[in-house]
Amino acid sequence: MPVLPGCPPRAADVFVRDRVLALRASGRSGGARLSVVRLADVVDGLRPVTDRAWWAPDPADPRTDRGLRTDLVRVLLDGAGPGPLLAVSARGGPAEVLEQDLGWTESLAQAAELVEVPAPPLVVVTRWGWRCHPTGGHRTWRRLRDRGPVVRAERPRDQG
């Protein structure tokens, strides 16, 4: 099961599976984006989790230097609203740690300091898995199937 800070394992699993499946559905070359979601939406098991703010050009573009990354992330954090957040980078390539992922993690920390909010963890999603920075939680799949909607059991009412 995935480990995302502040998120129950089952909710984290549903969230990252949905993001990997969405990236796979977008095709081999499409789907790259950086987004920010409310952690409460992930924890509540909402499907799909709505991006509160996002940036669609390829986050791996080599012209995106540290200053530009920090400015972009600051705008995303400003537009995301209150509450604990989770940053999500969907990109092509392997699920291993890449230099660009570390750059975005650093920019998240700097931008969060500028807007005076806690730095959100970054979940890097690829067609084959995901990795959480800075915690290091990760998972990969060869074949991944959608498990369908989450069904919540209701608590029985008191018969008293």
Side-chain angles (χ1 to χ4, degrees), residues 130-141:
W130 64 274
R131 181 170 299 276
C132 183
H133 299 275
T135 66
H138 66 281
R139 186 168 181 188
T140 59
W141 295 273

Side-chain angles (χ1 to χ4, degrees), residues 42-93:
V42 176
V43 171
D44 289 344
L46 299 178
R47 287 183 86 181
V49 172
T50 303
D51 293 337
R52 295 298 174 161
W54 55 273
W55 178 61
D58 187 354
D61 187 333
R63 297 171 294 178
T64 309
D65 66 8
R66 186 168 88 182
L68 180 57
R69 281 193 314 262
T70 301
D71 288 343
L72 288 166
V73 172
R74 183 182 49 76
V75 171
L76 292 178
L77 294 177
D78 276 343
L85 302 171
L86 182 65
V88 182
S89 172
R91 64 165 173 79

